[in-house]
Amino acid sequence: MDAGSVSNSSTGKTKTRCPLQEQLLQRKSSGENLDRFIPNRSAMDFDFAHYMLTEGRKDKENPAVSSPSRDAYRKQLAETFNMNRTRILAFKNKPPTPVEAIPNDYSGIQQSKPTKPRRHIPQTSERTLDAPDLVDDYYLNLLDWGSGNVLAIALGNTVYLWDAADGATSELVTVDDENGPVTSVKWAPDGRHIAIGLNNSDVQLWDSTANRQLRSLRGGHQSRVGSLDWNNHILTTGGMDGQIINNDVRVRSHIVETYRGHHQEVCGLKWSASGQQLASGGNDNLLHIWDRSTASSNSPTQWLHRLEDHTAAVKALAWCPFQGNLLASGGGGSDRCIKFWNTHTGACLNSIDTGSQVCALLWNKNERELLSSHGFTQNQLTLWKYPSMVKVAELTGHTSRVLFMAQSPDGCTVASAAGDETLRFWNVFGTPEVAKPAPKANPEPFAHLNRIR
């Protein structure tokens, strides 16, 4: 007897099986599950399924039980699962629906939104200037771009200013050797006045328009002042002595509050946009959040949060422009992480290992993106998409760690200064949404300069 037939002992007749019935018996004997709740269409045998819906069940059913309603149900079920077509026609070669077949005024079809074109990010800097005598010190803050569109950079004992509108350059001040070098610079919110921290612990206030010194703040710190930030008329200073001092620059007795929480140099200071919270980072690997409603001169160590997750110095700090209680912080060479914090609760929301020292952080004001600058080995600027933290671009060109970054007032251009004594300008954040002004005769900033001095 061959494999395609079977003997019936009661009748003595031989019944021949069809190929699909033989396949059914083989699957049953192998214990294969034929009734999957979630089908895998790529593995489905639609010919076999069609047989099971039609011919395959006739052997088990009594013809007397068949009814028109049952037949109609089977027919509709087969049509629903495309059993009246072959697999190739149903899934591979089905012709696309003609555009003409869809009326333009059909309100039931939601038109897809036009895809926003991907922003072009130049991989090279727009401009590179020499920055001789730039102090290669991770803990200092020597670059700032004010609201008046003037860039300030400290090179050794001298602070230089560039007017980005017309490319004019000038020297603001050169301090004596016993007081220098300059260890920090920070523009006031008005874009006219600027604070300068010195190695001898003094802080000078200058009027950049009149090019004259207004006053000198003394007596607060015992050593160099490496970090500065403004909160309206309050100038906050951070020193190597670990102290953070709020100075009211309008009054003679300028020291109004002292925050004590760091026991090594304070290298990062940033006020939130609301002016309510201050973030401070130090060489002791600590990140503190201070709140003006709880910290006062009566309780100088009353920080809101003391965050100890970083394993290296915390210099890079950036408050999110679209979420007031979101802070990004970056750790030094032994940490290499960018961390995100809810400053209301103190919770760490995310931590990304960047693979290298994080020197500075800047948020894009127009998109949900974060820019970080790094040290060894690539000395690159990395643009991240937030909150996925997918790398959007990596900008290379510096040959030493990119210590400082500053953002133009319109939020589009970023200036970076590195230990290789160069200052580079990057068009990394795109163009502003407002209408662009008419191009000038010399549209490229600082085009007539090839050195800072």
Side-chain angles (χ1 to χ4, degrees), residues 271-404:
W271 280 101
S272 64
S274 65
Q276 188 63 30
Q277 290 188 328
L278 172 70
S280 67
N283 193 31
D284 50 11
N285 309 346
L286 295 177
L287 170 62
H288 284 101
I289 306 297
W290 311 85
D291 195 291
R292 297 200 69 185
S293 62
T294 59
S296 68
S297 57
N298 296 328
S299 54
T301 60
Q302 189 58 48
W303 55 78
L304 181 63
H305 300 295
R306 180 185 180 94
L307 307 171
E308 304 178 2
D309 294 31
H310 283 290
T311 58
V314 183
K315 175 196 175 186
L317 300 171
W319 289 93
C320 178
F322 53 83
Q323 186 174 338
N325 64 326
L326 176 61
L327 175 73
S329 63
S334 299
D335 180 83
R336 306 179 303 275
C337 289
I338 299 174
K339 298 183 185 293
F340 298 91
W341 308 89
N342 180 336
T343 60
H344 288 171
T345 65
C348 184
L349 305 176
N350 195 9
S351 180
I352 302 296
D353 189 344
T354 67
S356 59
Q357 179 185 52
V358 183
C359 301
L361 293 171
L362 288 175
W363 286 95
N364 187 343
K365 297 178 181 179
N366 306 314
E367 302 281 348
R368 297 197 171 209
E369 296 172 341
L370 180 70
L371 182 68
S372 56
S373 70
H374 298 271
F376 182 81
T377 60
Q378 289 184 283
N379 307 307
Q380 83 281 15
L381 281 70
T382 302
L383 183 63
W384 309 83
K385 189 69 178 176
Y386 183 84
S388 65
M389 293 305 286
V390 173
K391 288 184 181 180
V392 178
E394 286 197 333
L395 310 178
T396 57
H398 283 293
T399 58
S400 183
R401 55 184 179 174
V402 188
L403 294 168
F404 319 112

Side-chain angles (χ1 to χ4, degrees), residues 15 31 45 124-125 196 217 254 264 273 297 350 370 435:
K15 182 178 179 182
D45 190 340
T124 57
S125 57
I196 301 171
L217 308 179
H254 53 86
Q264 291 190 39
S297 57
N350 195 9
L370 180 70

Side-chain angles (χ1 to χ4, degrees), residues 155-338:
L155 303 178
N157 292 351
T158 304
V159 176
Y160 293 94
L161 304 179
W162 292 268
D163 190 330
D166 58 11
T169 180
S170 61
E171 177 183 320
L172 178 66
V173 58
T174 297
V175 299
D176 297 334
D177 288 338
E178 57 266 25
N179 298 326
V182 177
T183 50
S184 53
V185 295
K186 190 66 179 181
W187 284 102
D190 61 7
R192 172 174 177 171
H193 300 93
I194 187 172
I196 301 171
L198 301 178
N199 191 59
N200 71 342
S201 77
D202 289 351
V203 177
Q204 295 182 0
L205 299 182
W206 282 76
D207 184 334
S208 64
T209 303
N211 200 35
R212 66 186 183 91
Q213 183 178 348
L214 300 178
R215 67 180 300 183
S216 184
L217 308 179
R218 297 187 175 94
H221 293 282
Q222 307 302 316
S223 53
R224 72 179 186 181
V225 180
S227 53
L228 302 166
D229 202 23
W230 289 88
N231 187 356
N232 294 321
H233 56 273
I234 299 294
L235 173 62
T236 303
T237 60
M240 184 180 277
D241 54 12
Q243 292 191 98
I244 300 170
I245 299 175
N246 285 340
N247 303 270
D248 188 338
V249 299
R250 303 170 302 175
V251 298
R252 182 178 296 275
S253 301
H254 53 86
I255 299 177
V256 293
E257 290 172 329
T258 300
Y259 300 158
R260 295 183 176 89
H262 294 280
H263 55 267
Q264 291 190 39
E265 182 166 15
V266 179
C267 49
L269 281 178
K270 282 292 186 301
W271 280 101
S272 64
S274 65
Q276 188 63 30
Q277 290 188 328
L278 172 70
S280 67
N283 193 31
D284 50 11
N285 309 346
L286 295 177
L287 170 62
H288 284 101
I289 306 297
W290 311 85
D291 195 291
R292 297 200 69 185
S293 62
T294 59
S296 68
S297 57
N298 296 328
S299 54
T301 60
Q302 189 58 48
W303 55 78
L304 181 63
H305 300 295
R306 180 185 180 94
L307 307 171
E308 304 178 2
D309 294 31
H310 283 290
T311 58
V314 183
K315 175 196 175 186
L317 300 171
W319 289 93
C320 178
F322 53 83
Q323 186 174 338
N325 64 326
L326 176 61
L327 175 73
S329 63
S334 299
D335 180 83
R336 306 179 303 275
C337 289
I338 299 174

